[in-house]
Amino acid sequence: MIEELLFIRQEVAPELIAGLWMSIQLIIPSAVCGLLIGIVIGTLRVYGSPGLKGFAGIYVLFFRGFPLLVQLYLWYFGLPRIGIYLSPFAASVIGFSLCSGAYQSEYIRGALQSIRKGQLLAAYSIGFSHTRAIFSILLPQAVRRALPGCGNELIYLIKYSSLAYMVTCIELTGKGSILANFHFKYLEIFIIVGAIYLLLVSVVSVGLNYLEDRIAVPGFDRPKI
Amino acid sequence: MPEGIIVIGENLSYILGGLWVTVAVVGGALSMGLGLGLLLALGQVYGNRLLQRIVGVYVWFFRGIPLLVLLFIFYFGLLSALEIDLSPFTVSIVVLGLISSAYQSQIIRGAILSLPEGQFKAARSLGMSDTRAILFIILPQALRLSIPGWANEYTIIMKDSAVTYALGVTEILARSRHVAERTYQHFWIYILAGCIFLVLTYIGTKLLQRLEEKVRISGYAH
Amino acid sequence: MAEKVPVLSVQDVHKQFGDTPVLNGVSLDLFRGDIKVVIGPSGGGKSTLLHCINFLVKMDAGNIYLNDTRIDQSRKRELYAYRQKVGMIFQDFNLFDHLDALHNVMIGLVQVRKLPRSEARQRAEAELERVGLKDHMAKYPAELSGGQKQRVSIARALAMEPEVMLLDEPTSALDPELIGEVHEVIRAMAALGMTMLLVTHEIGFASTLAKEIYFMDGGRILEQGPPQKILFDAEQARTREFCSKIGRLNENSD
Ligand SMILES: Nc1ncnc2c1ncn2[C@@H]1O[C@H](COP(=O)(O)OP(=O)(O)OP(=O)(O)O)[C@@H](O)[C@H]1O
Ligand SMILES: [Mg+2]
């Protein structure tokens, strides 16, 4: 037992921590880019010209419709055949961002569509400018409506970041896999890896819940997914 | 590009040969998820404190760990630890089914909780036992309300089924990979694979919409 | 009486949605302290008229004058200043859903009038007290009754110190027992000499306040005159028909 713990501490922990660090480096830029893409695409789907709406619709169709793993293969194995070479890390971040953006855009779209037209009319009627109405009325409402969905998408992103291993970006799952094969300790190591994801997901969802509570307002439903 | 099209034409039937594996994995996982999810939902809504706690932990566990890691835990870890021999195909169905049961339990639970309280009371007032009330009054309504959630769950499991390739299940992505490696047409082959999944999710969603319309009770607001 | 200038003058407003003309040249004047009421069948263009007056809907032709100054809606600053001077009450309240009653009233003062927060808060509290909502200031729209919501929206408009109020069927979305509380607030505004243009189907209430009633149908003002004349002695058959119908409705609802 003591030996086990010592082994974990000396052989396993440093490697897994390095893997976790890589996972975080994958997740954070992907989450940020995904959200930005989602805001742009979601806004286009609601307020864009017919052409832009069509473009945004097709974007969402493909990037939500293709399995994420297929998308990663497309970026990592597919692009080199047409002359574009991406590192495993770059391919993963691009794949995660584009896919996550498609999902995020649906939440943004829903949030924007849920805002009644009268809200803006009322703002104009007391002398608000367009910009001011957007920042003081539209956005605060949209953020509250979109946050549960967007937060949920962040949780998904954390879990799906494990697929980076499939395009040879060695993050937490990858490190675990290498360790497990090397030491022939599959069950123990994969359970530790699973526990780390569980911890990460739990911490983030507690944070998101706290955030939702902080900005909660009666009348804005908080669908728990 | 024409070259890619030719390769697609030549290998389409081989790739589509993986269709039944994908469909079997998805179908198996969803059915298992439904059965288990239903029990979990009932346990969480009507069970005692302890049962509710257990279901809560179960859902937290299976929604918090990545599919790929769960596949590894079960296939490389548990099977050898318990000295059981199961094929990657079976393990994939089981793992996806367990994950799906966690999600489906929450869909069904949400549907049950959204029913007006009067439904249960009215059933009891007729002298029905609680079990009967659940079976004949609550579930027929709750399961109808769950269909949109299932449509969503179906698309997720369909796409996730591609990950089972990591264990060597020869579904659509696995076969696409073979062809891509052989022909060096990765780009077009993976586009093709993605489109096959797109069509599969589309068909399934449409079928579930049909089902929803078919079992709709007129005047029932959603 | 000396020649006076109307506070608000609406001249020859035209508006069509797609191919359907909705306003076909509407003109009216409001002098200081005037209370004028617009009645007419549904779809006659009453809401569109009020929205056009506040430039919330772009009119096709026509002019609006505030104190003899023509409003040019392409000059944004002028437009925003004008809208503060012309309060608008909506049929369905349009309170800002993410703000409580107090902040619904404050936000215009802070964001548009640029008052310091503490001063804005005091003003908003006073306005809410005026409409009888002293004890509900911390409630969000979802927690208020329809009548309370409409009173908050009136307080929100009054806080901007408007010279004219436009009210678009302020009580038509309310349960009958809540109508009274809103009418009371409108009556109090009238007593303070507020200039008002009121669209309503509450003929009884309207005739006790109005100096003049406009009957509007098909995008035009078909007839105008003092309440007694329009309600009981109208010249046009169309007006008589409408008034008798609505009179009966109001009787039945009592
Ligand atoms: N944004 C719009 N787009 C197209 N048509 C519109 C729009 N707004 C109003 N209309 C049409 O203009 C006509 C007048 O509408 P308006 O709302 O001004 O009538 P109203 O007199 O206020 O009726 P009500 O008493 O029902 O409120 C109606 O036929 C309506 O369908
Ligand atoms: Mg109207």
Side-chain angles (χ1 to χ4, degrees):
Chain A
M1 186 69 205
I2 301 284
E3 248 171 68
E4 281 285 277
L5 287 178
L6 216 61
F7 162 73
I8 288 176
R9 207 182 122 183
Q10 286 174 350
E11 307 280 329
V12 178
E15 287 292 297
L16 289 188
I17 287 172
L20 175 62
W21 176 232
M22 178 51 97
S23 289
I24 291 174
Q25 283 177 305
L26 285 169
I27 292 165
I28 290 178
S30 305
V32 172
C33 295
L35 188 60
L36 292 178
I37 294 174
I39 290 173
V40 171
I41 297 286
T43 310
L44 286 183
R45 287 197 80 179
V46 180
Y47 298 113
S49 63
L52 287 171
K53 266 188 189 149
F55 163 77
I58 289 175
Y59 178 92
V60 173
L61 176 70
F62 281 100
F63 286 97
R64 273 183 76 205
F66 278 25
L68 177 54
L69 189 53
V70 173
Q71 294 183 39
L72 290 177
Y73 277 14
L74 204 49
W75 304 136
Y76 187 64
F77 297 115
L79 285 189
R81 314 296 150 173
I82 56 172
I84 302 169
Y85 292 85
L86 296 174
S87 69
F89 178 80
S92 303
V93 170
I94 290 175
F96 294 153
S97 303
L98 291 172
C99 180
S100 187
Y103 282 93
Q104 297 285 26
S105 78
E106 288 291 273
Y107 298 118
I108 305 286
R109 175 173 75 123
L112 290 174
Q113 280 172 341
S114 75
I115 295 167
R116 293 176 296 125
K117 188 162 174 256
Q119 297 288 305
L120 287 182
L121 282 188
Y124 298 142
S125 82
I126 52 173
F128 276 66
S129 65
H130 279 297
T131 333
R132 210 167 269 291
I134 287 171
F135 280 98
S136 323
I137 309 297
L138 192 92
L139 280 182
Q141 297 194 12
V143 165
R144 287 184 170 84
R145 293 249 158 77
L147 185 62
C150 291
N152 203 44
E153 176 53 28
L154 176 60
I155 305 272
Y156 270 99
L157 182 60
I158 293 173
K159 291 192 288 170
Y160 280 117
S161 70
S162 61
L163 294 185
Y165 167 51
M166 301 292 288
V167 290
T168 70
C169 178
I170 303 304
E171 36 62 79
L172 181 55
T173 310
K175 283 281 187 208
S177 201
I178 291 169
L179 282 174
N181 280 315
F182 187 76
H183 296 290
F184 284 103
K185 288 192 184 296
Y186 293 98
L187 189 60
E188 298 86 335
I189 288 178
F190 284 129
I191 282 185
I192 296 175
V193 169
I196 297 175
Y197 279 109
L198 209 48
L199 186 72
L200 202 56
V201 163
S202 304
V203 168
V204 171
S205 57
V206 167
L208 285 165
N209 270 332
Y210 173 76
L211 193 60
E212 280 175 40
D213 282 342
R214 277 293 300 270
I215 64 171
V217 157
F220 284 74
D221 298 340
R222 299 176 49 192
K224 269 286 150 256
I225 313 150
Chain B
M1 157 137 185
E3 206 182 327
I5 303 253
I6 293 167
V7 168
I8 285 181
E10 282 170 350
N11 294 284
L12 186 60
S13 64
Y14 172 75
I15 292 177
L16 284 179
L19 200 63
W20 81 266
V21 181
T22 295
V23 170
V25 167
V26 172
L30 282 175
S31 320
M32 178 179 155
L34 174 58
L36 216 53
L38 189 57
L39 293 179
L40 291 167
L42 290 175
Q44 203 173 12
V45 177
Y46 299 113
N48 61 20
R49 269 276 169 76
L50 179 68
L51 195 53
Q52 291 178 355
R53 256 312 212 338
I54 293 174
V55 176
V57 171
Y58 178 96
V59 170
W60 168 74
F61 184 85
F62 282 104
R63 294 205 307 188
I65 298 181
L67 168 61
L68 188 60
V69 177
L70 279 174
L71 286 172
F72 287 170
I73 291 180
F74 275 74
Y75 188 70
F76 296 115
L78 274 182
L79 286 195
S80 54
L82 301 174
E83 292 180 7
I84 319 173
D85 197 18
L86 290 178
S87 67
F89 175 76
T90 316
V91 172
S92 297
I93 292 182
V94 169
V95 169
L96 275 170
L98 290 172
I99 295 179
S100 187
S101 73
Y103 283 96
Q104 291 198 48
S105 73
Q106 297 311 294
I107 295 171
I108 299 170
R109 171 173 171 259
I112 293 176
L113 292 179
S114 76
L115 295 176
E117 219 180 310
Q119 295 293 317
F120 214 113
K121 283 193 188 139
R124 277 179 173 158
S125 79
L126 295 176
M128 278 192 194
S129 69
D130 284 2
T131 323
R132 277 178 177 274
I134 290 170
L135 276 182
F136 298 114
I137 307 297
I138 302 297
L139 283 186
Q141 300 184 52
L143 292 183
R144 277 189 177 83
L145 291 179
S146 303
I147 296 176
W150 279 332
N152 193 35
E153 177 65 11
Y154 163 76
T155 63
I156 292 174
I157 295 291
M158 174 56 78
K159 284 176 275 178
D160 278 356
S161 74
V163 179
T164 65
Y165 156 64
L167 295 189
V169 178
T170 52
E171 42 68 74
I172 290 168
L173 181 59
R175 288 185 177 232
S176 306
R177 180 98 199 249
H178 294 167
V179 174
E181 302 275 297
R182 203 155 42 71
T183 61
Y184 282 92
Q185 288 295 339
H186 290 76
F187 188 76
W188 294 107
I189 292 296
Y190 290 134
I191 296 245
L192 171 71
C195 288
I196 295 176
F197 280 102
L198 201 60
V199 171
L200 286 175
T201 50
Y202 180 81
I203 294 174
T205 323
K206 278 284 165 237
L207 286 178
L208 278 166
Q209 265 174 19
R210 278 266 184 80
L211 177 69
E212 191 184 354
E213 273 155 31
K214 200 152 182 190
V215 301
R216 165 169 298 153
I217 302 165
S218 62
Y220 210 98
H222 283 270
Chain C
M1 223 192 319
E3 277 292 289
K4 278 198 304 181
V5 172
V7 185
L8 183 76
S9 175
V10 175
Q11 292 183 5
D12 204 26
V13 171
H14 289 259
K15 172 72 194 172
Q16 61 183 55
F17 286 111
D19 293 335
T20 334
V22 176
L23 296 177
N24 300 306
V26 177
S27 304
L28 55 86
D29 286 330
L30 286 175
F31 291 91
R32 194 159 300 285
D34 272 359
I35 297 175
K36 296 192 175 177
V37 169
V38 182
I39 60 172
S42 186
K46 307 179 297 293
S47 296
T48 308
L49 174 65
L50 295 201
H51 281 73
C52 281
I53 294 178
N54 215 342
F55 298 99
L56 296 173
V57 160
K58 207 173 166 147
M59 62 180 102
D60 301 332
N63 284 308
I64 310 283
Y65 294 83
L66 184 72
N67 297 321
D68 227 14
T69 314
R70 197 182 84 87
I71 306 305
D72 177 356
Q73 68 163 320
S74 63
R75 298 221 195 125
K76 292 297 173 200
R77 262 174 207 292
E78 246 174 60
L79 175 65
Y80 302 148
Y82 163 80
R83 282 181 178 149
Q84 292 173 53
K85 293 287 151 219
V86 180
M88 175 100 184
I89 302 302
F90 299 88
Q91 185 172 349
D92 47 3
F93 330 125
N94 288 339
L95 289 190
F96 302 128
D97 291 329
H98 65 300
L99 299 175
D100 63 17
L102 179 67
H103 286 84
N104 258 282
V105 182
M106 270 175 71
I107 192 167
L109 297 170
V110 174
Q111 300 274 359
V112 181
R113 300 280 298 273
K114 311 282 185 212
L115 295 188
R117 286 193 80 82
S118 60
E119 197 185 332
R121 171 181 288 266
Q122 273 177 8
R123 290 277 312 276
E125 283 171 356
E127 291 298 345
L128 282 167
E129 197 169 345
R130 232 169 101 180
V131 297
L133 290 174
K134 196 166 178 262
D135 301 328
H136 301 279
M137 295 199 281
K139 287 194 179 158
Y140 285 88
E143 302 170 317
L144 294 168
S145 75
Q148 291 168 338
K149 280 192 237 188
Q150 194 59 294
R151 285 187 281 154
V152 175
S153 95
I154 291 175
R156 179 175 70 185
L158 286 178
M160 309 305 288
E161 300 181 307
E163 293 183 33
V164 185
M165 288 283 270
L166 311 173
L167 301 98
D168 186 8
E169 303 193 36
T171 56
S172 68
L174 299 181
D175 292 338
E177 74 268 24
L178 299 179
I179 290 179
E181 63 192 49
V182 174
H183 280 174
E184 222 171 277
V185 171
I186 296 175
R187 223 175 237 127
M189 280 197 286
L192 290 175
M194 177 61 77
T195 314
M196 287 190 264
L197 184 60
L198 169 65
V199 176
T200 186
H201 290 296
E202 307 280 337
I203 298 261
F205 172 71
S207 55
T208 64
L209 281 183
K211 178 175 162 206
E212 198 164 36
I213 291 187
Y214 296 105
F215 175 70
M216 205 174 154
D217 190 16
R220 275 175 230 283
I221 293 178
L222 284 190
E223 195 166 354
Q224 68 188 82
Q228 295 311 314
K229 173 158 178 291
I230 296 290
L231 296 182
F232 303 112
D233 192 20
E235 279 163 21
Q236 311 244 359
R238 192 76 193 80
T239 318
R240 280 199 299 273
E241 189 195 341
F242 178 80
C243 289
S244 72
K245 231 187 263 169
I246 208 168
R248 243 177 291 138
L249 265 181
N250 280 1
E251 270 163 37
N252 288 347
S253 69
D254 287 339

